[in-house]
Amino acid sequence: MEQIIKDYKKVYLQTPIPMGIDEGLMEVLGRIENTPSRPFYYSRIFMTVAVLLLFMTGAASAVFFAPPTSSLHAVKVAAQKFVGNVLPTPTPFELETPGTPKKAEPTTTPTNTPSPTPEKNNQQQNGQNNSNRPNPARSVKGIQNFMLPTVVPQKVNPPVIQGTNPSSERKNENSSQGNANSQEKSNNGKKN
Amino acid sequence: MEDKILIKRAQKGDKEAYGALYKKYFQKIYRYCRINTNNEELAKDISQECFVKAYKKLSDFKTEGVWSFQSFLFTIARNMIIDNSRRKKEADIEDYENLQSNEDLYENFERNQNIYKMQKVLSKLDENERQIVILRYFEELPSQEVARILGINDGALRVRTFRIIKKIKTIFNTLYGANN
């Protein structure tokens, strides 16, 4: 067995090279010179900056779209104060608190629509009442405000003209016996 | 000239120094690739690419570290062989019996019955066992370097080597009888 391994090793070590070493070396050096340098997007600086930007974008969008109930909203408010109201404050609804002094409006009819003045002014007007204001997102009224107004179709009865409107006759037929009797009575009265 | 001096010079961009390293180690790397790929052209390409890769990574190579330049090259070559076999799925590494039918390079294998037998035995070993036999017994690398190339510790290598020798003996006995 040892002899076999020795023979094999001899052949293995004599493995000929398919080309001259110098020729191969020239080829390798040529490849080294022709290899393009690493592109910029592989560099650590680029990767770090890209990851940071992604993270910051994510964080900014999380703050910007934060719902008023979340703790991030406080960050948003603080940021808005800092920037100076650059970002618009989404105020989906305003609650009218009883006893709130209202501004004199040109229209005479009292409306329940929120005043067009920005929230800042409204807060000033409301004064300390704002502190007692319930969280609109949690109150029932607030939920109702979120819901779309349901349109209830109202029955509009056309004017009844005797003998001309077949639909009214049909209605009368369908109505109860008592109603029919009362109609007859009224008809008789008119004739008289 | 010593490897360390050549490497330091090559790290500074001296291509002559790198050429000297190439001349010193190319044949070793080539025959290692040749026996593992069983393909002359592929072995040539991989061994050349191995030197190109080694040059690119040369700035990271520490001359004072535990790695010798030789084991550094063997590790790169081994990884490239594995990558290549995965990519092409040829996996000729498994089939050492094919070596016999290979053109001119191994023509003397046919003539020599002993070599043919050894090929058969090697074909019965698994990938890691074969690597240990090639690097430890044919290339005669020190056990620490072989362990580093294969990514195992020294103790594990010793145990494996012991088992491989036992296995080779058993294979010889089953294939060719106890008198071989």
Side-chain angles (χ1 to χ4, degrees):
Chain A
M1 193 184 92
E2 279 150 20
Q3 188 56 43
I4 290 169
I5 294 170
K6 269 183 190 173
D7 284 349
Y8 191 85
K9 187 180 166 185
K10 224 183 250 177
V11 175
Y12 172 77
L13 293 175
Q14 285 167 0
T15 310
I17 304 168
M19 57 175 178
I21 278 201
D22 289 330
E23 192 191 325
L25 176 62
M26 294 305 287
E27 214 174 287
V28 167
L29 292 178
R31 274 203 226 177
I32 289 169
E33 279 169 10
N34 291 332
T35 319
S37 58
R38 257 185 160 190
F40 178 65
Y41 49 80
Y42 277 156
S43 70
R44 279 182 194 172
I45 300 165
F46 179 84
M47 292 303 276
T48 316
V49 170
V51 169
L52 271 174
L53 273 174
L54 270 173
F55 178 75
M56 284 166 72
T57 315
S61 60
V63 169
F64 186 77
F65 295 110
T69 48
S70 75
S71 57
L72 276 176
H73 190 69
V75 180
K76 186 183 176 180
V77 171
Q80 276 177 334
K81 272 183 190 170
F82 182 74
V83 175
N85 272 344
V86 172
L87 301 170
T89 320
T91 49
F93 46 80
E94 290 281 332
L95 282 178
E96 291 289 327
T97 49
T100 323
K102 276 189 181 178
K103 252 188 177 180
E105 285 175 358
T107 49
T108 50
T109 50
T111 52
N112 283 331
T113 50
S115 61
T117 52
E119 200 184 23
K120 205 177 176 183
N121 294 336
N122 206 4
Q123 279 174 358
Q124 284 170 356
Q125 282 174 14
N126 291 343
Q128 57 182 10
N129 284 335
N130 264 349
S131 59
N132 296 327
R133 198 169 69 178
N135 191 349
R138 288 181 183 170
S139 67
V140 179
K141 205 174 180 184
I143 294 164
Q144 282 171 346
N145 279 337
F146 267 116
M147 292 161 68
L148 288 168
T150 48
V151 180
V152 184
Q154 287 179 345
K155 268 186 180 179
V156 179
N157 290 325
V160 184
I161 302 164
Q162 293 295 318
T164 52
N165 199 350
S167 63
S168 64
E169 283 173 9
R170 230 178 286 141
K171 260 185 188 175
N172 289 335
E173 283 167 12
N174 292 336
S175 62
S176 63
Q177 191 66 33
N179 278 343
N181 289 338
S182 65
Q183 208 171 354
E184 274 174 16
K185 277 178 188 173
S186 67
N187 283 342
N188 289 335
K190 274 181 184 177
K191 277 176 186 174
N192 292 330
Chain B
M1 205 181 285
E2 233 185 284
D3 278 4
K4 282 182 184 177
I5 301 163
L6 287 172
I7 292 163
K8 276 182 182 170
R9 276 174 54 191
Q11 280 173 336
K12 286 172 188 168
D14 186 347
K15 292 205 173 139
E16 266 185 41
Y18 195 68
L21 287 167
Y22 175 90
K23 282 177 184 174
K24 191 175 177 181
Y25 292 111
F26 181 75
Q27 193 165 7
K28 276 190 175 193
I29 298 299
Y30 173 75
R31 67 187 173 218
Y32 176 72
C33 295
R34 177 71 182 80
I35 201 168
N36 277 301
T37 58
N38 196 23
N39 183 323
E40 193 179 298
E41 276 302 306
L42 189 61
K44 187 186 130 188
D45 281 348
I46 290 177
S47 46
Q48 285 198 324
E49 194 57 39
C50 171
F51 277 91
V52 175
K53 270 195 174 178
Y55 186 83
K56 282 181 197 167
K57 289 180 181 176
L58 205 60
S59 54
D60 299 333
F61 184 81
K62 288 169 188 169
T63 47
E64 310 303 324
V66 285
W67 285 80
S68 70
F69 189 64
Q70 184 177 236
S71 46
F72 177 62
L73 286 172
F74 271 112
T75 311
I76 295 171
R78 184 171 179 262
N79 290 337
M80 287 179 74
I81 289 163
I82 292 167
D83 283 350
N84 189 71
S85 64
R86 270 187 205 150
R87 219 181 304 137
K88 293 195 172 178
K89 293 194 174 179
E90 284 174 357
D92 280 356
I93 302 162
E94 307 297 320
D95 193 8
Y96 269 76
E97 292 178 46
N98 287 347
L99 280 172
Q100 195 205 5
S101 61
N102 242 326
E103 322 100 33
D104 53 329
L105 183 65
Y106 284 89
E107 60 184 3
N108 45 2
F109 278 23
E110 285 179 348
R111 279 183 248 131
N112 196 325
Q113 195 61 30
N114 283 347
I115 287 156
Y116 175 71
K117 283 177 181 173
M118 188 63 203
Q119 281 173 10
K120 274 221 149 186
V121 172
L122 282 177
S123 71
K124 302 280 177 195
L125 300 177
D126 71 35
E127 167 65 21
N128 277 329
E129 290 170 340
R130 203 179 301 130
Q131 295 301 320
I132 291 169
V133 173
I134 293 166
L135 294 170
R136 187 80 186 92
Y137 293 105
F138 300 161
E139 288 292 347
E140 293 181 337
L141 296 183
S143 60
Q144 287 168 336
E145 280 198 24
V146 177
R148 254 176 245 136
I149 292 165
L150 298 176
I152 53 176
N153 65 41
D154 213 11
L157 180 77
R158 251 178 264 148
V159 173
R160 281 192 199 182
T161 313
F162 178 74
R163 283 183 193 157
I164 291 164
I165 291 167
K166 231 180 168 182
K167 192 174 176 180
I168 289 174
K169 276 181 186 170
T170 319
I171 295 167
F172 260 109
N173 289 340
T174 46
L175 285 177
Y176 311 111
N179 53 346
N180 265 299

